[in-house]
Amino acid sequence: MNISTNRWLLILFAALCYVQVQAQEKKTVSGTIKTPGGSPVSSASIHEVGTSNATLSDSLGNYRISVKPTATLEFSSVGYSTFTLSVATAGDFNVVLQPAENSLNEVVVTALGIQRQKKSLGYAIQEVKGQTLVESREVNLVNDLTGKVAGLQVVRSGNGPAGSSQILLRGNNSLTGLSQPLIVIDGIPVDNTTGRVGLGASNGFYNTTLDQGNTLSDINPEDIASISVLKGPTAAALYGSLGGNGVILITTKTGKKQSGLGISVSSSVGFESIFTSP
């Protein structure tokens, strides 16, 4: 046997040793992925952290993957919280995934204050969060809705900051001018009639020659948790003829436990000049 043959045999032996070492560095991990109720989670992702090595569970929640003995596995699935498992310290590779707290099921307030999942409704409903209204810093709450709800039109008054504003959801559909939607605050219907309905003497309830603002202008946007707008006839059907022009549901904030006194202070300043005097 010549020197060249010995060299090739040495190279072959080294290669076999390398393959054997590489094989020993991998560990096969298998188990099941289930929900807290015992149902299998199919198509769940099993990923070895720090590598591109990954696999999916089958229809019965079973999985099998070859990883390093010191690897960390990450289990994830849509609607469930991510679960992390260390191969080196884990004695059981059966995983139970917990439902995610930030669920995709958005809860909205519908007619009569009923809370429903948005995806379960058979009609369109649009919700505006209270924080969105605060960011506008409008004096009149009605003006805060400008540009925030599709199809909602706000007719602003030209009588200054305290002037009344009108809401239109389905256009002007009444000859008497009463085309505003029904306003419901925490289950209580509210009259949002504008302060100026026509010229004439005082009728004992308000002076019709002056614009004294609308009811919603007295509500502080900081006190509102959310506003649900029901535009379609199906959505407002529970309110009968009162909801013929649509319904705006306002849910105010409730008390909750928090650290400290829970007092917040905000202020705004506006300057205007009189255009002309009588």
Side-chain angles (χ1 to χ4, degrees):
M1 184 179 294
N2 55 29
I3 299 177
S4 179
T5 303
N6 292 335
R7 181 181 299 173
W8 281 109
L9 289 176
L10 183 60
I11 294 174
L12 179 60
F13 177 76
L16 291 175
C17 292
Y18 177 78
V19 172
Q20 185 177 5
V21 171
Q22 289 294 319
Q24 291 176 352
E25 288 182 355
K26 289 290 186 178
K27 179 179 181 180
T28 301
V29 176
S30 61
T32 60
I33 305 176
K34 295 183 178 181
T35 65
S39 302
V41 180
S42 60
S43 300
S45 174
I46 303 95
H47 172 242
E48 183 180 358
V49 178
T51 69
S52 59
N53 185 22
T55 186
L56 297 175
S57 61
D58 59 17
S59 59
L60 299 178
N62 299 319
Y63 73 94
R64 187 181 184 89
I65 185 173
S66 296
V67 297
K68 296 179 180 179
T70 58
T72 299
L73 294 180
E74 190 176 75
F75 300 82
S76 60
S77 182
V78 177
Y80 296 91
S81 299
T82 301
F83 181 81
T84 304
L85 182 144
S86 176
V87 175
T89 59
D92 185 9
F93 299 107
N94 296 325
V95 175
V96 177
L97 293 182
Q98 301 294 331
E101 294 182 359
N102 52 342
S103 175
L104 298 179
N105 300 331
E106 183 179 357
V107 177
V108 295
V109 179
T110 63
L112 302 180
I114 302 172
Q115 291 188 348
R116 296 278 300 277
Q117 292 183 1
K118 192 172 184 179
K119 69 176 185 179
S120 67
L121 300 178
Y123 49 82
I125 180 174
Q126 190 163 352
E127 187 177 36
V128 180
K129 297 297 183 182
Q131 183 60 33
T132 306
L133 302 174
V134 174
E135 293 172 354
S136 300
R137 298 298 178 186
E138 286 279 359
V139 177
N140 194 328
L141 174 61
V142 177
N143 297 337
D144 279 333
L145 298 175
T146 304
K148 293 181 176 62
V149 179
L152 185 146
Q153 180 183 1
V154 176
V155 182
R156 301 195 179 202
S157 170
N159 296 321
S164 58
S165 297
Q166 185 179 10
I167 304 175
L168 295 178
L169 275 178
R170 300 178 186 171
N172 292 296
N173 52 10
S174 174
L175 295 176
T176 62
L178 302 177
S179 299
Q180 291 200 87
L182 175 66
I183 308 297
V184 180
I185 302 177
D186 291 336
I188 302 176
V190 174
D191 183 11
N192 191 46
T193 304
T194 55
R196 184 182 177 88
V197 294
L199 297 177
S202 174
N203 61 1
F205 180 63
Y206 50 76
N207 188 347
T208 56
T209 61
L210 299 175
D211 187 349
Q212 299 177 350
N214 52 285
T215 305
L216 286 184
S217 63
D218 297 332
I219 299 178
N220 182 8
E222 297 273 5
D223 296 335
I224 295 178
S226 65
I227 295 180
S228 298
V229 181
L230 312 179
K231 293 178 286 187
T234 305
L238 289 178
Y239 290 100
S241 60
L242 294 176
N245 296 322
V247 181
I248 295 181
L249 302 175
I250 299 177
T251 304
T252 59
K253 295 179 180 179
T254 57
K256 62 180 180 180
K257 184 178 180 180
Q258 58 184 3
S259 59
L261 296 177
I263 299 176
S264 59
V265 179
S266 63
S267 63
S268 60
V269 179
F271 298 92
E272 294 200 11
S273 59
I274 300 177
F275 175 71
T276 182
S277 58

